[in-house]
């Protein structure tokens, strides 16, 4: 990786903050609080919820659904599919969003890598999709905030990744040059291709393994894309 970079832009969920673990723990807490465990299986509930949540977020990124409908429907659709009655979808969403920022699990090696990059004088920033109150609280409670110069949240910028506008806004607001900027994220379409289509380099953080099908696409882009399977691999590049 070229040593030219001065500004590094990180995704938050599933790149730094362990969304899979944290969201599950937050949901389990609410599930127990509402006594849903007396009539429903949590693993099945969480699986169905995750399906509806992902579909609605995809629609949200395409401006096909608004925030208040997303937050309600992800629970209401789950209730409907599992024939759960007597629980208000908006109430469960509020409880869930209250519990989410309390969860502090980060991916392995995150703090060590951020400490290293900070000492190397990189300008560190976050570009994340999500709701402003939740994302800010996550960053604060998990101890990430001191490492970052700026936080760019899709709801505040009014443009979700992978749209060009959020990357452009983040780079310009950071007084960075495109040629000296790089994006690090776990989602190929949202983080990596979003960055590349804007014209900056990217790192695909992919714990599972290198995705050869995706990497074959790299030949068609001028931006450089790298792939790492762990945070510690960034030491070799930055």
């Amino acid at each position: 990786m070229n040593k030219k970079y001065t500004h590094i832009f990180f995704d938050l969920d599933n790149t730094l903050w362990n969304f899979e673990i944290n969201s599950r723990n937050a949901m389990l807490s609410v599930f127990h609080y509402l006594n849903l465990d007396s009539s429903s299986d949590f693993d099945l509930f969480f699986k169905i919820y995750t399906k509806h949540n992902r579909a609605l977020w995809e629609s949200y990124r395409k401006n096909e659904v608004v925030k208040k409908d997303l937050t309600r429907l992800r629970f209401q659709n789950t209730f409907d599919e599992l024939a759960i009655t007597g629980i208000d979808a908006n109430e469960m969403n509020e409880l869930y969003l209250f519990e989410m920022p309390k969860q502090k699990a980060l991916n392995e090696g995150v703090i060590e890598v951020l400490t290293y990059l900070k000492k190397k004088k990189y300008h560190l920033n976050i570009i994340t999709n999500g709701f402003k109150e939740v994302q800010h609280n996550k960053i604060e409670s998990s101890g990430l905030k001191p490492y970052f110069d700026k936080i760019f949240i899709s709801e505040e910028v009014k443009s979700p990744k992978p749209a060009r506008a959020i990357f452009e806004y983040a780079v310009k607001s950071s007084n960075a040059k495109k040629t000296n900027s790089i994006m690090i994220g776990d989602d190929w379409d949202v983080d990596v291709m979003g960055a590349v289509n804007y014209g900056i380099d990217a790192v695909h953080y992919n714990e599972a393994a290198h995705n050869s099908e995706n990497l074959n696409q790299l030949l068609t882009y001028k931006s450089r894309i790298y792939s790492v399977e762990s945070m510690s691999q960034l030491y070799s590049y930055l």
Side-chain angles (χ1 to χ4, degrees):
M1 192 180 292
N2 196 308
K3 301 293 184 181
K4 66 180 180 177
Y5 304 111
T6 57
H7 290 71
I8 303 173
F9 297 87
F10 279 92
D11 169 54
L12 178 62
D13 293 330
N14 282 328
T15 299
L16 302 173
W17 195 81
N18 194 315
F19 185 85
E20 301 301 328
I21 290 175
N22 291 328
S23 62
R24 184 181 179 86
N25 288 341
M27 188 70 76
L28 184 60
S29 176
V30 176
F31 194 81
H32 289 325
Y33 178 80
L34 294 174
N35 295 316
L36 281 166
D37 44 353
S38 63
S39 58
S40 303
D41 175 73
F42 175 73
D43 288 337
L44 178 60
F45 180 92
F46 191 69
K47 179 181 178 180
I48 300 301
Y49 164 82
T50 299
K51 177 187 70 173
H52 289 298
N53 186 53
R54 286 175 177 168
L56 285 161
W57 268 103
E58 179 65 25
S59 296
Y60 181 77
R61 286 194 289 269
K62 296 176 180 178
N63 294 315
E64 296 171 350
V65 64
V66 296
K67 175 182 177 180
K68 66 181 180 64
D69 291 333
L70 184 159
T71 54
R72 177 181 60 83
L73 287 173
R74 60 185 179 179
F75 286 102
Q76 190 59 58
N77 291 349
T78 303
F79 296 159
D80 292 345
E81 183 166 343
L82 295 174
I84 295 172
T85 59
I87 303 293
D88 182 77
N90 286 323
E91 179 189 6
M92 188 162 188
N93 179 72
E94 288 176 9
L95 290 168
Y96 173 63
L97 293 184
F98 180 76
E99 289 296 322
M100 278 283 273
K102 297 180 183 179
Q103 313 305 316
K104 302 179 181 181
L106 301 175
N107 283 333
E108 184 176 354
V110 163
I111 293 299
E112 292 81 0
V113 165
L114 293 178
T115 300
Y116 165 81
L117 294 175
K118 202 71 173 171
K119 287 181 179 178
K120 298 278 282 187
K121 306 300 183 184
Y122 286 105
H123 296 280
L124 307 182
N125 307 280
I126 288 176
I127 305 177
T128 177
N129 284 348
F131 305 135
K132 57 185 179 182
E133 65 276 9
V134 178
Q135 301 301 74
H136 279 303
N137 287 339
K138 285 181 191 175
I139 292 165
E140 181 80 46
S141 66
S142 61
L144 290 171
K145 188 174 181 180
Y147 294 95
F148 293 96
D149 298 336
K150 293 179 181 292
I151 312 296
F152 302 98
I153 299 174
S154 61
E155 187 180 22
E156 293 180 326
V157 178
K158 295 181 172 49
S159 174
K161 296 180 292 183
R164 176 188 177 90
I166 191 170
F167 292 98
E168 183 173 26
Y169 181 85
V171 169
K172 289 183 176 179
S173 297
S174 303
N175 293 319
K177 294 181 179 180
K178 291 170 72 170
T179 53
N180 300 126
S181 300
I182 191 163
M183 177 74 195
I184 301 174
D186 70 291
D187 191 299
W188 178 264
D189 295 318
V190 173
D191 298 315
V192 176
M193 296 313 298
V196 166
N197 287 328
Y198 170 58
I200 64 175
D201 294 356
V203 176
H204 187 209
Y205 171 60
N206 181 12
E207 286 186 304
H210 296 322
N211 187 322
S212 58
E213 180 181 349
N214 285 341
L215 291 175
N216 285 339
Q217 297 180 34
L218 308 192
L219 298 176
T220 64
Y221 293 93
K222 292 182 180 179
S223 298
R224 299 191 63 180
I225 307 178
Y226 311 90
S227 184
V228 299
E229 296 174 24
S230 67
M231 278 288 156
S232 61
Q233 285 184 305
L234 292 174
Y235 291 127
S236 302
Y237 297 138
L238 294 168

